[in-house]
Amino acid sequence: MLDDFFVRAVLAGIGLALTTGPLGCFVVWRKMAYFGDTMAHSALLGIALSLVLDIDMMIGVFVVAAVVSLSLIVLQRKGTLSTDALLGILSHATLALGLVLVAFMTWVRIDLMGFLFGDILAVSKTDLVAIYAGGALVLGVLAFLWRPLLAATVSPEIAEAEGMRPERSRLVFMLLMALVIAIAMKIVGILLITAMLIIPAATARRFAATPERMAVTAALLGALSAVGGLFGSLEFDTPSGPSIVVAALGLFLLSLIPFKMTAATDGRLPKAR
């Protein structure tokens, strides 16, 4: 018989995976892995500001991640630096600011390891509600914007010509990323969020012939990674968050075994640009 805290952890992992899978497909297609890292690193600044302002951490992380996204868009329009340089500046600046701010708060005990690598076994019933409610919101918006996002991923120029407003879709996508990072922070931690976005989606690409199938497959593979990682953590007494990522890595390595027909040769999936 499994303990209640472990059952909650399994449900939390599945709920997160069902959200990060489809969203991670766009991260892979759009080559936005570094952007995901930047958003994740900004979470520490959000945590520090949440403690200073005495507000909910999910709200603080979401607000900071959203501000970082908007800052990136504004700086890109100025055209003075390349996108990767801007992401590097924002990523390391927000991480450093967060660490400095935490160092000043000597009156607060902060478990940095818990924030960096997550503590899914500490998920409460309230957290579960937030995970599934936030996940449902993200998936609902993603489904509504699926066609414009997909068109903008394939060709922003064609999407613009057809009146799909790719810039607006991109902004909404960034805000969805901010929301997912706020939700995922407690589960897998700041340093492992990007892995849960990228690895299941990269694995799913080998088995799916269409974007929709890839999104569903990524969600299922992420859920399998969460369950497998948690049971592995229980069996071998290893950290739960990293164990989930290791399980996802194991599935990815298995997907590299050659087989007769792969989705990569199908030609219907968006090419990474």
Side-chain angles (χ1 to χ4, degrees):
M1 188 70 179
L2 297 174
D3 292 324
D4 288 344
F5 74 88
F6 191 81
V7 173
R8 288 196 298 270
V10 170
L11 291 174
I14 292 173
L16 175 64
L18 294 178
T19 306
T20 57
L23 202 64
C25 291
F26 283 99
V27 174
V28 170
W29 293 332
R30 289 169 167 250
K31 294 185 177 180
M32 293 180 68
Y34 198 13
F35 172 73
D37 267 336
T38 301
M39 298 279 278
H41 289 169
S42 72
L44 186 59
L45 178 58
I47 291 167
L49 290 176
S50 299
L51 292 172
V52 170
L53 301 175
D54 194 24
I55 60 175
D56 185 82
M57 284 190 183
M58 278 193 182
I59 296 175
V61 171
F62 172 75
V63 169
V64 170
V67 169
V68 169
S69 299
L70 294 173
S71 300
L72 176 63
I73 292 174
V74 171
L75 291 171
Q76 280 179 324
R77 287 178 177 173
K78 290 183 179 296
T80 54
L81 288 172
S82 62
T83 299
D84 63 332
L86 292 173
L87 287 173
I89 292 169
L90 290 171
S91 174
H92 297 100
T94 52
L95 182 60
L97 284 170
L99 288 170
V100 169
L101 195 54
V102 165
F104 277 114
M105 292 186 292
T106 54
W107 64 92
V108 179
R109 291 189 61 186
I110 299 176
D111 180 16
L112 278 179
M113 290 296 290
F115 287 127
L116 292 175
F117 297 102
D119 189 5
I120 192 172
L121 298 179
V123 169
S124 65
K125 292 181 179 178
T126 304
D127 292 328
L128 275 179
V129 172
I131 290 165
Y132 278 88
L137 175 61
V138 170
L139 291 178
V141 175
L142 195 61
F144 179 75
L145 290 175
W146 183 264
R147 187 167 173 267
L149 274 172
L150 202 57
T153 300
V154 174
S155 174
E157 293 78 14
I158 294 176
E160 182 72 34
E162 293 185 1
M164 293 184 179
R165 301 177 68 181
E167 278 299 317
R168 184 185 65 178
S169 299
R170 181 183 175 220
L171 175 59
V172 174
F173 175 74
M174 287 180 168
L175 294 178
L176 291 180
M177 285 275 290
L179 180 56
V180 166
I181 285 168
I183 294 170
M185 172 193 63
K186 188 171 184 178
I187 299 176
V188 293
I190 294 168
L191 297 182
L192 303 179
I193 292 172
T194 314
M196 285 304 293
L197 282 165
I198 295 171
I199 298 177
T203 306
R205 193 177 181 89
R206 292 273 294 167
F207 302 107
T210 66
E212 293 77 14
R213 287 181 185 176
M214 180 172 165
V216 172
T217 304
L220 294 177
L221 288 172
L224 182 61
S225 301
V227 175
L230 282 169
F231 275 97
S233 173
L234 183 65
E235 178 68 24
F236 300 107
D237 192 27
T238 53
S240 52
S243 296
I244 292 173
V245 178
V246 169
L249 175 63
L251 291 176
F252 173 73
L253 293 176
L254 286 175
S255 76
L256 297 180
I257 298 174
F259 56 97
K260 290 184 180 180
M261 188 174 182
T262 67
T265 61
D266 185 88
R268 284 178 283 178
L269 290 176
K271 301 296 183 182
R273 58 180 182 82

